Amino acid sequence: MDDAVVARLRADFPILTRTVHGRPLVYLDHAASSQRPTAVLDAVHEHYVTRHANVHRGAHQLSAESTDAYEEARATVARFLGAPSPRSLVFVRNATEGLNLLARSWGDAHLGPGDEIVVTVAEHHANLVPWQQAAQRTGAVIRAVPLGPDQRLDLDAYRALLSPRTKVVAVAHMSNVLGVVHPVAEIAEAAHAVGARVFVDGAQAAPHLPVDVAALGVDAYAVSGHKMLGPTGIGALWVEEELLASMPPFLGGGEMIRTVEIERSTYADIPMRFEAGTPAVAEAVGLAAAVRYLEAVGMEAIWRHDRALADLALERFAELDGVRVFGPVGSDRGGIVPFVVEGVHPHDVATALDSEGVAVRAGHHCAQPLMRALGVQSTVRASTHLTTPTSEIETLVRAVRGARDFFAAFA
Ligand code: PMP
C-alpha cells in the first residue's frame, strides 16, 4: 500500500493523531496490541446505546437483538478464518484462553503417560505453559522443535521428533518475535500422518495475513481480538467441528448446560458448551466490525504492506553498525523486527525511543526459551500494521541510531 492509502487509513484511527513527549506518536507496537478504527469504536458504542441485554436468555426484544448481533459476529469471525461453520467457533477472552481451553479440555481427555506433545522453541508462553501444565496432569512429555541455522524452524528435526507417541503438535502460525510464518500446512500434514492433532496459535498471523483454517488442514486455531483492531477481552477459538463436539467443557456455569441436577448436569451443544457465563457481547460485535474493516482493506494487501516494511527496516538496520537484527529474511517474514543495540540494554533503547515518540516493546516477549536459543536475554521489537507509513520506519532507524550514539558516549 502506498503512503497515500496508508494516510487515508490512518484517518480512521483517532489515537494516531496524538503526541507523546511532545512528538508525533510513532506506534510500532502492533504485535503487542493493535489500535482500533472508528468503525470498531462506533460498533461497540452503538451496541450499548441501542440494543444491549444479556444473550440467549431473555424472551424480550433487546435480548433477541443482542443474541442476533452476537451470533452474526460469530459467523463473521468464522468466515474470516475460513471455518466451514460458525458452530465450530467459540468466543473466548483472548488467544491465551483459547489455547488453555485446548490443553485442558482436549489435553486432559486424550493425553496419558508417555504420550508426546510437540511444541517449538519459538512458542509464546501462551502456547507452552498450558501444555506444560497438561503434561504435569497427565504424565505426557514435551518435545520441542529447534531452530535451524537460518532461524526458521528446523523441519528435519521436526519430522524426526514425530512418532506414534506424538498426540499433538502445538505451533504458532507466525512468531511474535522473529516475524516468520511457520509452514503450518506442511507441519499439519506430517503430524496427521502419525495420527497427531495440530493446534495453532494464530494470535500474530490472523491480523496480518489471509488465514484459511480449512486450507491449512489444522485441527484448531486461536486468535486475540485486540491484536486485530478489535476490542480487548474477546478472542476466538476455531476447532474442527467433529473434534469440538467430542470435547468435554472447559468451564462450568450458566449458558453451557442443558439440564442441571444437584449432583450432575448435561451440557449444551457446541459452541455454547464452551461459553459458560455471560459472554463479551459488545466486544464480539466490535471484533466483527474489526474483521469487516480488515477485509475491506484486504488481507493480501496488508500482508504485502507488512512484508515491504520489514524489508525496508532490515535493509536500513543492516547499514547501522552495532545493531543486530534477528529472524530470517524472505517472503515468509512479516512486519515484526526484533533487534539489539550492542552494549545497550533493550529497555534503555526502548526508553530512548519513547522519548522520541516511538513506541516499541522491549523484553523477552513472552518467549524465554526462544531468547535462550538466540543467545540473548531480551530484545527490542518494532512491529508494523496497515497504518504504518514508510516514514515511521525511517523515524525508527534514525531514533535507534541516535540512541546507539548517545549510549556509546558513555561506554
Ligand atoms: N501467541 C502469540 C504468538 C502472541 O504474540 C500473543 C500475544 N503477545 C499471544 C499468544 C497471547 O495473546 P493474548 O495475550 O491476547 O492472549
Side-chain angles (χ1 to χ4, degrees), residues 12 35 77 80 167 191 194 244 256 270 281 313 352-353:
D12 295 332
Q35 300 296 350
V77 177
F80 179 70
K167 293 292 177 287
V194 296
L244 186 66
M256 52 73 73
I270 60 167
V281 187
L353 297 191

Side-chain angles (χ1 to χ4, degrees), residues 31 94-96 124 126 174 176 201 203-204 224 226-227:
N94 46 37
T96 300
H124 188 282
M174 178 175 175
N176 66 310
D201 170 0
Q204 292 296 342
S224 271
H226 71 94
K227 291 187 200 285

Side-chain angles (χ1 to χ4, degrees), residues 121-122 146-154 173-183 303 306-315 317-318 324-339 370 374:
V121 74
L147 295 184
D150 62 355
Q151 297 186 343
R152 291 185 173 86
L153 291 180
D154 182 338
H173 194 177
M174 178 175 175
S175 164
N176 66 310
V177 178
L178 300 170
V180 66
V181 176
H182 298 142
W303 177 234
D306 280 317
R307 273 178 43 200
L309 292 170
D311 284 350
L312 177 65
L314 296 179
E315 202 183 302
F317 276 138
R324 185 151 62 104
V325 179
F326 301 90
V329 181
S331 61
D332 55 352
R333 170 70 181 263
I336 295 180
V337 182
F339 61 93
L370 178 58
L374 296 175

Side-chain angles (χ1 to χ4, degrees), residues 120-126 128 175-178 361 363-374 376-378 381:
T120 85
V121 74
E123 292 316 301
H124 188 282
H125 299 162
L128 182 56
S175 164
N176 66 310
V177 178
L178 300 170
R361 176 112 185 234
H364 53 60
H365 314 297
C366 299
Q368 289 186 13
L370 178 58
M371 293 294 116
R372 265 177 228 115
L374 296 175
V376 290
Q377 289 213 324
S378 60
R381 180 187 69 182

Side-chain angles (χ1 to χ4, degrees), residues 17-57:
T17 60
R18 66 162 287 178
T19 55
V20 172
H21 308 306
R23 306 290 178 99
L25 170 65
V26 173
Y27 190 76
L28 291 173
D29 197 18
H30 294 275
S33 199
S34 65
Q35 300 296 350
R36 285 111 204 83
T38 311
V40 170
L41 306 175
D42 286 351
V44 174
H45 186 254
E46 189 206 5
H47 174 79
Y48 281 124
V49 167
T50 65
R51 73 172 92 84
H52 180 71
N54 211 330
V55 292
H56 301 303
R57 288 190 186 127

Side-chain angles (χ1 to χ4, degrees), residues 53-67 255:
N54 211 330
V55 292
H56 301 303
R57 288 190 186 127
H60 62 79
Q61 183 61 25
L62 294 192
S63 176
E65 288 180 19
S66 280
T67 303
E255 306 273 352

